[in-house]
Amino acid sequence: MSETTAFLGLGAMGTPMAAHLARRAREAGGRALVWNRTGAKATAHAREHGSEAVTLSRAARADVIFSCLPTSREVDEVVGALEADLRPGTVWVDCTSGHPEAARRQAARLAGRGVAFLDAPVSGGTAGAQAGTLTVMVGGEAGVLERVRPVLAFAGKVVHVGGTGAGFAVKAVNNALLAVNLWAAGEGLAALARAGVDVAPALEVINASSGRSNASENLVGQRVLTREFPLTFGLGLLAKDVGIAADVVRGAGASAPVLMQTEALFRAAATVVGAGEDHTAALRLLEQMNGQEIR
Ligand code: NDP
């Protein structure tokens, strides 16, 4: 297939994801267009990765349009801005960690233009985006996914999880589990520190034992104990994801007290610590609650 793709939103995730689309276009034919609100980032992307920086109305005429924006609200805004230029037969693949209700709204709105919509959020972080090994969880029609599957050059694993909105729901719950594990690891280590136990060997033991998690193995030691908290995934974005998970819980009439409590904790952490900090800085709130640094 030698389609023209367009990627909207060159943030921490979009920049490396769009670079894989540009690589694919070089190798398999086709064109890789990019658009970003701050245009200089698109120009730099074209220079560094061989994509083509274009206007929003040009991007609208691509065969496959990708978006990766902070929330569904920004996706709504961008859909509104380029809607008139869309062509029937286009597929819109939204890689934002969005809201299931917004997916259903966007799918219906785009269907009116003959454009198919897939909610296709990703997992794997900026490292996975750079390596082209992201996990993509897709909601929407399976047949539409099969049409675009060859173009998903940033993916290591692609799973169709259900109808429109299912991808966003799975992503929200996945990230709520990340938040639970991160917070729980922080609670355990803060308690040990207050009890006079050295945190570094305690974490070494946990990471070789049954209490370990991705958060304990790949985040706490590297980002919290070092006090570096390097920004790759914003705390405000994780708080948003846990909020979506809570909406999914409520919408389903499910009982999930730990997830609901985690929503409140991460909302508080984003307010107290700062939404623009790295997500691991949520543990700074926990440190304040304990009068104890985790180090
Ligand atoms: P960033 O904050 O790094 O980038 C946000 C992007 O959205 C930028 O390109 C920004 O443009 C653009 N943008 C913001 N507001 C608007 C607007 N009103 N109109 C148009 N464009 C806008 O976010 P990430 O790349 O980290 O995250 C993007 C999505 O991916 C989020 O939903 C996040 O939850 C999810 N995600 C993030 C991961 C991570 O590790 N970072 C991992 C997996 C999923 P500009 O350059 O002009 O500011």
CSV table of all heavy atoms in Angstrom, one decimal, residues 26 28 31-32 66 80 98 112 118 147 172 218 270 288:
chain,number,residue,atom,x,y,z
A,26,ARG,N,9.3,6.0,3.2
A,26,ARG,CA,10.5,5.8,2.4
A,26,ARG,C,10.7,4.4,1.9
A,26,ARG,O,11.1,4.2,0.8
A,26,ARG,CB,11.7,6.2,3.2
A,26,ARG,CG,12.1,7.7,3.3
A,26,ARG,CD,13.5,7.9,3.8
A,26,ARG,NE,13.7,7.3,5.1
A,26,ARG,CZ,13.3,7.9,6.3
A,26,ARG,NH1,12.6,9.0,6.2
A,26,ARG,NH2,13.6,7.3,7.4
A,28,ALA,N,8.3,1.8,1.8
A,28,ALA,CA,7.2,1.1,1.1
A,28,ALA,C,6.5,2.0,0.1
A,28,ALA,O,5.5,1.5,-0.5
A,28,ALA,CB,6.2,0.6,2.2
A,31,ARG,N,3.4,8.8,1.2
A,31,ARG,CA,3.9,10.1,1.7
A,31,ARG,C,3.4,10.2,3.2
A,31,ARG,O,2.4,9.6,3.6
A,31,ARG,CB,3.3,11.3,1.0
A,31,ARG,CG,3.7,11.3,-0.5
A,31,ARG,CD,2.9,12.3,-1.3
A,31,ARG,NE,3.2,13.7,-0.8
A,31,ARG,CZ,2.5,14.7,-1.3
A,31,ARG,NH1,1.6,14.6,-2.2
A,31,ARG,NH2,2.8,16.0,-0.9
A,32,ALA,N,4.3,10.8,4.0
A,32,ALA,CA,4.0,11.0,5.4
A,32,ALA,C,3.9,12.5,5.7
A,32,ALA,O,4.9,13.1,5.8
A,32,ALA,CB,5.1,10.3,6.3
A,66,PHE,N,-3.8,10.2,11.4
A,66,PHE,CA,-3.6,9.8,12.8
A,66,PHE,C,-3.6,11.1,13.7
A,66,PHE,O,-3.2,12.2,13.2
A,66,PHE,CB,-2.1,9.2,13.0
A,66,PHE,CG,-2.0,7.9,12.3
A,66,PHE,CD1,-1.5,7.8,11.0
A,66,PHE,CD2,-2.2,6.7,13.0
A,66,PHE,CE1,-1.4,6.6,10.3
A,66,PHE,CE2,-2.0,5.5,12.4
A,66,PHE,CZ,-1.6,5.4,11.0
A,80,GLY,N,-13.2,19.6,14.2
A,80,GLY,CA,-14.0,20.7,13.8
A,80,GLY,C,-13.3,21.6,12.8
A,80,GLY,O,-13.8,22.1,11.8
A,98,GLY,N,-8.0,8.8,24.8
A,98,GLY,CA,-9.2,9.6,24.9
A,98,GLY,C,-10.4,8.9,25.7
A,98,GLY,O,-10.1,7.9,26.4
A,112,GLY,N,-20.6,10.9,9.1
A,112,GLY,CA,-21.4,11.8,8.2
A,112,GLY,C,-20.6,12.3,7.0
A,112,GLY,O,-21.2,12.8,6.1
A,118,LEU,N,-11.3,4.9,14.1
A,118,LEU,CA,-10.8,3.9,15.1
A,118,LEU,C,-10.2,4.6,16.3
A,118,LEU,O,-9.4,5.6,16.1
A,118,LEU,CB,-9.7,3.1,14.5
A,118,LEU,CG,-10.1,2.2,13.2
A,118,LEU,CD1,-8.8,1.6,12.7
A,118,LEU,CD2,-11.1,1.1,13.6
A,147,ARG,N,-7.7,-2.7,7.1
A,147,ARG,CA,-7.2,-1.8,6.0
A,147,ARG,C,-6.0,-1.0,6.4
A,147,ARG,O,-5.1,-0.7,5.6
A,147,ARG,CB,-8.4,-0.8,5.7
A,147,ARG,CG,-9.3,-1.4,4.5
A,147,ARG,CD,-10.6,-0.7,4.4
A,147,ARG,NE,-10.4,0.8,4.2
A,147,ARG,CZ,-11.4,1.7,4.4
A,147,ARG,NH1,-12.6,1.2,4.9
A,147,ARG,NH2,-11.2,2.9,4.2
A,172,ALA,N,-7.6,3.3,29.4
A,172,ALA,CA,-7.9,4.0,30.7
A,172,ALA,C,-7.7,3.1,31.9
A,172,ALA,O,-7.0,3.4,32.9
A,172,ALA,CB,-9.3,4.6,30.7
A,218,ASN,N,10.7,-0.4,36.8
A,218,ASN,CA,11.2,0.5,35.8
A,218,ASN,C,11.0,2.0,36.1
A,218,ASN,O,11.4,2.8,35.3
A,218,ASN,CB,10.5,0.2,34.5
A,218,ASN,CG,10.8,-1.2,34.0
A,218,ASN,OD1,12.0,-1.6,34.1
A,218,ASN,ND2,9.9,-2.0,33.5
A,270,ALA,N,-2.0,15.8,41.0
A,270,ALA,CA,-1.8,16.8,39.9
A,270,ALA,C,-2.0,18.2,40.4
A,270,ALA,O,-1.3,19.1,39.9
A,270,ALA,CB,-2.7,16.4,38.8
A,288,GLN,N,4.8,14.0,51.1
A,288,GLN,CA,4.3,15.1,52.0
A,288,GLN,C,3.3,14.5,53.1
A,288,GLN,O,3.4,14.9,54.2
A,288,GLN,CB,3.5,16.2,51.2
A,288,GLN,CG,4.4,17.0,50.3
A,288,GLN,CD,3.6,18.0,49.5
A,288,GLN,OE1,2.6,18.6,50.0
A,288,GLN,NE2,4.1,18.3,48.3
